[in-house]
Amino acid sequence: MSFGILFAILGGVLAAVGGGIGSAIGVGRVGRAAAGVVTEDPSKFGKVLILEILPGTQGLYGFLIAFLLLTQIGVMGGSPIQLTTAQGLMYFAACLPMAICGFISALHQANAAVSGVSIVAKRPEESGKAIIFAAMVETYAVLALLISILAMFNITANIGV
Amino acid sequence: MRETEYAYAVARIRANELKMLSQQDFDRLIAAESFSAALRILTDKGWSEPSGNSAYDICETETETVWRFIAESVPDRDLLDAMIIGNDFANLKAAIKAKFSDLKISEYMTVPSLCPSETIVKAIDEGEFSLLPEYLADCADKAYHAYTEKESGQLTEIIIDKECAAAKLRFAEKSDSELLREIHTLTAAVSDIKTARRCASTGKSRQFALDAVSGCGKIDAQKLVNAVYEKEELAQLVTDAGLGILADYADGDFTALEMFCDNYITRRAREYKHEIFGPDAAVAYYYGKLAEIKNVRIILSAKASGVPKDVIQQRVRELYV
């Protein structure tokens, strides 16, 4: 087995781990704040739950990238394709936007969501705005996801596997 | 401790800020026809029913309530200790005074405190200062002997106040709260100014004043005492010490100085109202709530003694909300 497949798998692992760790920290952070609000007013559970879920999407995106990559390089089917080191590094690079942006955007989205929890605590009628503020950060995670997917599919098309 | 560890506490605080008394509530309190009418307004807003007919009861209960809330929300023990360390010294002062007078000690004990008030009373009654925690034991020993051997209540107070200022800053340094350090530094400076001026006006020696001033509040003790005794203006001295905010009040009357100090702390606390993490949000809320309780106490005491509304209006402090 060449180093190519190793680099490709490493890229997928990074995408899954980066997004996953970011989301785990983010959801945990918002969860603490949400628990604080629910301690005082349990009726706000539904509103703060939406905010808590938001930083969790990066983990899903990372998982998606890792899954697509494993499918593209045949690992999921049980017959991995032969990749040169350069091809493996291309797959690795394709996963980086999701790995890096997923991790960082999850943390920042969590901070925006915690601020949103404070809005819900004081002005529950404005919870829609709180969700929009936090959701704006999602844009950049989605862009990174798209770039990673486009890069991966184009690499597969170009190397002809 | 990581600032994000405070997410739970800060969220609870934001939810609780809704329950604080607003400006309209205070306007109603000030306009209330009588003490009992003011009490009714407070109980309608969720304050506890007083067991006796005094402002002290209801304010004391509210202080205990806010402390219980802070203590169960804030994850950092050091921060909690630093917020209430001053009360231990107030209790020590009360315990020494009570031992040599007819004072009913329970009425003078401040809550919350780090060291149980019963322990302080027992240590003073038995002269067994080793029962007290390290930060209190030496001070209690000195203050007790100043009272018994030199029969000087003033010296006793000075010893305790000085050690209290130092301990508050020491504990604040251990916490991660910049706001708490600022508050303790400011209150120590204000206390030093008042002490030095009081010593001068009561004819105490310069050395006595120098011993009495803590020097913890950024203002150099020697320079402060010299300035006061040589009747120089303190405005420049406090400005040079980085406390220019006190320049307009350092030479004025004590009431205005204390009021400015209280209002400044509340204003600084308000700046942390939008923080989502960190210890400062908790400190800000605690001091905001203490300002609210102080205002209620001022209003209720004034109502009980029939003070006119316009005078009450002048005495109340700025609000956190």
Side-chain angles (χ1 to χ4, degrees):
Chain A
M1 193 176 283
S2 72
F3 276 115
I5 195 100
L6 181 68
F7 282 124
I9 290 174
L10 189 62
V13 167
L14 275 182
V17 168
I21 291 177
S23 283
I25 296 172
V27 172
R29 196 175 283 180
V30 187
R32 276 193 209 119
V37 171
V38 173
T39 304
E40 298 301 320
D41 185 357
S43 70
K44 288 175 181 156
F45 173 74
K47 285 175 176 158
V48 292
L49 181 66
I50 298 169
L51 286 162
E52 187 186 358
I53 290 166
L54 284 175
T57 51
Q58 284 82 346
L60 292 175
Y61 298 161
F63 165 77
L64 179 65
I65 290 296
F67 182 80
L68 284 176
L69 178 93
L70 294 176
T71 311
Q72 295 283 306
I73 60 174
V75 173
M76 288 296 280
S79 50
I81 57 173
Q82 289 298 313
L83 293 173
T84 63
T85 303
Q87 288 168 340
L89 282 171
M90 281 198 284
Y91 277 115
F92 178 82
C95 294
L96 285 184
M98 195 62 246
I100 298 168
C101 194
F103 176 73
I104 294 173
S105 68
L107 298 184
H108 286 282
Q109 191 169 38
N111 290 352
V114 171
S115 299
V117 169
S118 292
I119 294 178
V120 173
K122 297 186 101 168
R123 294 175 186 270
E125 71 280 5
E126 305 290 356
S127 64
K129 290 172 186 163
I131 293 167
I132 290 170
F133 290 141
M136 292 300 287
V137 187
E138 191 76 13
T139 313
Y140 305 96
V142 172
L143 291 178
L145 172 73
L146 287 176
I147 287 296
S148 287
I149 289 175
L150 286 173
M152 205 184 308
F153 282 122
N154 279 291
I155 290 164
T156 306
N158 282 323
I159 62 175
V161 289
Chain B
M1 180 168 284
R2 294 166 72 96
E3 294 221 321
T4 50
E5 300 284 318
Y6 286 86
Y8 172 79
V10 177
R12 282 193 76 182
I13 284 166
R14 297 294 169 248
N16 261 278
E17 281 172 356
L18 291 174
K19 298 173 193 164
M20 289 179 79
L21 298 175
S22 64
Q23 186 59 55
Q24 287 90 330
D25 295 323
F26 273 103
D27 290 343
R28 284 177 62 214
L29 277 174
I30 294 168
E33 286 306 312
S34 61
F35 179 82
S36 52
L39 275 185
R40 265 198 308 278
I41 293 170
L42 288 170
T43 46
D44 287 348
K45 292 293 295 180
W47 284 49
S48 63
E49 295 272 355
S51 51
N53 203 23
S54 84
Y56 180 80
D57 281 347
I58 190 167
C59 293
E60 203 68 3
T61 309
E62 191 65 15
T63 310
E64 282 179 52
T65 306
V66 69
W67 179 250
R68 266 201 307 276
F69 165 71
I70 289 281
E72 71 181 33
S73 310
V74 168
D76 183 6
R77 189 67 238 178
D78 284 341
L79 180 71
L80 295 170
D81 291 353
M83 283 200 262
I84 56 165
I85 179 75
N87 291 347
D88 285 26
F89 289 89
N91 288 342
L92 174 63
K93 213 184 274 185
I96 293 175
K97 279 186 185 166
K99 181 175 165 70
F100 301 104
S101 67
D102 301 329
L103 293 178
K104 195 178 167 195
I105 184 69
S106 58
E107 286 179 7
Y108 294 88
M109 285 305 194
T110 309
V111 286
S113 61
L114 278 185
C115 178
S117 51
E118 300 78 31
T119 308
I120 297 178
V121 172
K122 190 175 179 215
I124 297 301
D125 276 347
E126 296 172 4
E128 190 55 65
F129 307 113
S130 58
L131 293 173
L132 297 172
E134 198 181 336
Y135 63 85
L136 212 53
D138 190 41
C139 171
D141 192 0
K142 279 190 216 161
Y144 183 85
H145 287 104
Y147 205 93
T148 51
E149 288 164 17
K150 297 183 181 163
E151 294 181 352
S152 170
Q154 193 182 21
L155 183 61
T156 306
E157 286 208 9
I158 281 170
I159 290 168
I160 295 174
D161 289 344
K162 194 172 172 175
E163 185 50 42
C164 177
K168 276 160 84 175
L169 274 173
R170 219 169 39 241
F171 274 65
E173 287 297 332
K174 277 199 285 179
S175 79
D176 297 322
S177 172
E178 197 183 308
L179 179 62
L180 192 62
R181 280 194 288 275
E182 189 187 338
I183 289 172
H184 285 341
T185 305
L186 179 69
T187 49
V190 168
S191 170
D192 277 357
I193 291 170
K194 282 163 47 187
T195 305
R197 286 180 53 195
R198 207 172 274 141
C199 285
S201 65
T202 53
K204 298 286 178 194
S205 72
R206 201 176 279 224
Q207 188 55 48
F208 184 90
L210 197 55
D211 290 341
V213 167
S214 73
C216 295
K218 282 189 182 174
I219 308 173
D220 182 79
Q222 185 73 60
K223 284 183 185 167
L224 174 65
V225 171
N226 286 345
V228 168
Y229 276 73
E230 281 154 30
K231 298 197 175 0
E232 289 171 9
E233 286 205 349
L234 297 178
Q236 190 58 48
L237 179 71
V238 293
T239 306
D240 291 344
L243 291 166
I245 47 163
L246 294 175
D248 292 339
Y249 301 90
D251 296 292
D253 69 277
F254 287 168
T255 312
L257 177 63
E258 280 164 12
M259 190 152 176
F260 169 78
C261 182
D262 289 345
N263 287 342
Y264 182 79
I265 290 170
T266 306
R267 259 176 260 152
R268 286 288 291 130
R270 272 204 298 261
E271 290 171 23
Y272 290 87
K273 267 177 73 180
H274 302 293
E275 292 283 315
I276 53 169
F277 302 121
D280 290 325
V283 173
Y285 173 75
Y286 183 60
Y287 277 87
K289 191 70 191 166
L290 290 185
E292 177 190 276
I293 294 167
K294 188 173 200 171
N295 274 342
V296 167
R297 188 175 282 140
I298 289 169
I299 293 169
L300 290 182
S301 304
K303 290 285 166 199
S305 46
V307 175
K309 288 167 192 167
D310 53 330
V311 177
I312 303 176
Q313 196 80 56
Q314 287 164 11
R315 288 182 190 170
V316 291
R317 272 51 172 167
E318 286 182 21
L319 298 181
Y320 168 74
V321 288

